[in-house]
Amino acid sequence: MTVPTFEEKLRILAESARYDVSCSSSGSNRGERKGGVGTVAASGICHSWSADGRCISLLKILLTNHCTFDCAYCPNRRSNDIRRVTLTPDEVAELTINFYRRNYIEGLFLSSGVVKSPDHTMELLIETVRILREEHRFNGYIHLKLTPGADPLLVSRAGRLADRVSINLELPTRESLALLAPDKSRDSILLPMHQVSGLIAARKGEGARAPAFAPAGQSTQIIIGATPENDLRIITLSQRLYQRLGLKRVYYSAYVPVTSDPRLPPLNGVPLLLREHRLYQADWLLRFYGFAPDELLDNSTPDLDPELDPKSAWALRNRDLFPVEVNQAEYEVLLRVPGIGIRSAQRIIRARREQRLRVEELARLGVVLKRARHFLTGDGICGVKELSSDRLRAVLITAAKRRSSAVQLSLFDTAASVAVTGEF
Amino acid sequence: MAIWCYDGTFPGFLTLCATLVTQGEEPESILSADSLHDDLFSRTISVESDEPRAEKMLAAIASRISPNSCRLLWQAFLSGSPGVELLLWRYLSLGRTTGARIDRLTAHPAVAPVHRLAHTVEREAHRVKGIIRFQESAGGYWYAAVEPAYQVLELVAPHFARRCAGMNWLIHDRRRCLALAWNRTEWRLAGFDCEGVPPLSTDEEQWSTLWRGYFSSITIPERQNRRLQQQHLPKRFRSYLTELTGSPTL
Ligand code: SF4
């Protein structure tokens, strides 16, 4: 076989990395170093959008796609017959700096297949980031993946150099993990995760001058649809990760059948991209809208409604709580109105201090009323006639469809698309 | 009917407002000189831009109305949207009676549209932060061309001054024939030739090729969604994006 060129290696390692979802570059604050290259922007910046409609913010790449593990869902697994290539830490650092200078990217998202041992792999990853930070004086955003089972000392080094660290939970349960990723034990994932969450919490207690530790927090990723867990199980797990471990984000990755393996399910039922989209919406409700998992789903309906966003579905089941009067309702109550997002709720609260709001003023404030008007009154007046639940359901479904069918099937991870997802 | 006319700059507009205030006039129309057409039936009153007067006006707005108003007016002004001058004048007139309370009158018909315009401009500026592509010129400075929907160069200047502090760079708004330049110490906005692109350094080709290769490889083929991609990448940006131009590797 011919020796691959640098360009070929880059392409292969980008292909190997592309199934990882996270591309966020926001929310870090490491403080600036004089004379360095770059900064971290407070709100995420998208530099481009790939042909699958996903935001490109970071150079997302593996150091190598060699791997001694054999995870059934992964194209890089040991038993898969693909071309294997490796970049050196220096090469990745050089690439990052040059892409960054040209404003192609906001930073680096670095991961790797497991070579030799988890510790050896982690050392190579850390070395790359060290070169960037110390030799190139790179100040931009770095998201570093932790290797399952990596030594605690290495984990803490990683957190001191990177803005964000993450380790993928991969599958929602211990059993599923054992089935599909036999080389990864649940503990080899959970231990570093707990360690990082402890170190982040400890750092918060220290003064502003203490060295930063993963200032953009910790995230993880769960693969959806490769194993039989239902949505209730998944969002309950996410809620625990947010509340107990203080994770910043849980990413959901619709399983893409990159390999055929008898352990993997055939694809049927709700299209996975749609299911993934609904999970992101539900996740959003947990983090920013004060919903609890058992408000959205229960054992009799353990999966999210494919036709309707989870907030609308919840409102339809709880019609006795509506309509709410925009001049009186608390912020938390406004947030529960379908169609009213964080920004709209804030605008309403601010504007109503000065004047009573009718539906007309809401429109002027930029509140999208298509769905909301069925659930609120402005100064006692509703403006639409009351519908039966079936009719209302139909109306809500059409309203959502018209909003944007393209967005329906996509991932969200950026400030720019927060504006889209934020307002449901 | 009188048309009030100014030079199209923000200081010019502020000077005009100051004049209106002192003369107690209520304009029916405010136009920049270049959007003025010969109109036999209207009287045109031109106001010369006067920097010190404009600055005084801005200080007065900050102290008597609200510090937020200055930024808001400026951003909305940069939209260049037809009729924006009269809209801003009405906002100012209201502000003179409400004072800082205007910040909370967000649902008022004279205030809401100003917020909306400012917000639109801010969104464009945020986009531009991402879609600018610097190329290294043979002369050693970094060059980027854009055609933003609004005149947002000054809004993105602080961002690039921090991000690319150690580079000499120039961002060229080719729609407006303007350029924002940074010499590692300070930035400056000036008129600039609409056409010219500098000769590039020999390294440039290599990095842009790598980037194009990366860009096409990062797409998950099973999830192709061109419509969504195009929705995020408006036409005005596409011809300047390294990854969408040059050797087609898509
Ligand atoms: S450890 Fe598993 S998921 Fe990671 S690269 Fe190797 S095979 Fe893929």
Side-chain angles (χ1 to χ4, degrees), chain A residues 11 18 38 44 46-49 51-52 60 98 100 102-105 273 276 354 363-364 405 410, chain B residues 101 107 116 126 129-130 132-134 163 204 207 214 216-217 219-220 223 225 227-229 232 243:
Chain A
R11 295 185 71 134
R18 67 190 172 198
C46 275
H47 287 259
S48 196
W49 279 268
D52 50 22
K60 182 160 43 175
N98 274 286
Y100 188 86
R102 287 169 176 76
N103 209 42
Y104 297 163
I105 54 167
L273 287 183
E276 177 194 280
E354 288 300 323
R364 212 180 279 139
S405 50
S410 72
Chain B
R101 207 163 61 87
R116 203 174 286 192
H126 186 75
K129 287 178 192 169
I132 288 260
R133 295 288 176 266
F134 284 115
R163 189 189 199 276
E204 205 43 44
W207 295 110
Y214 172 78
S216 65
S217 301
T219 297
I220 300 182
R223 302 183 73 141
N225 192 341
R227 238 185 85 201
L228 185 62
Q229 180 192 31
H232 285 298
E243 59 272 29

Side-chain angles (χ1 to χ4, degrees), chain A residues 62 65-71 73-78 112-114 148 170 181 184:
Chain A
L62 303 188
N65 64 347
H66 282 280
C67 193
T68 54
F69 284 13
D70 204 35
C71 309
Y73 47 82
C74 176
N76 308 319
R77 69 190 195 287
R78 182 181 65 223
S112 178
V114 180
E170 311 287 22
K184 293 180 183 172

Side-chain angles (χ1 to χ4, degrees), chain A residues 315-335:
Chain A
L316 266 179
R317 287 194 306 273
N318 292 280
R319 289 193 72 185
D320 51 316
L321 302 175
F322 296 101
V324 302
E325 166 56 44
V326 289
N327 291 287
Q328 261 113 47
E330 308 259 347
Y331 175 71
E332 293 73 20
V333 174
L334 284 174
L335 276 184

Side-chain angles (χ1 to χ4, degrees), chain A residues 69-75 77 79 179-182 255 258-264:
Chain A
F69 284 13
D70 204 35
C71 309
Y73 47 82
C74 176
R77 69 190 195 287
S79 58
L179 180 70
L180 296 187
Y255 158 68
V258 282
T259 66
S260 57
D261 186 297
R263 286 169 291 178
L264 294 168

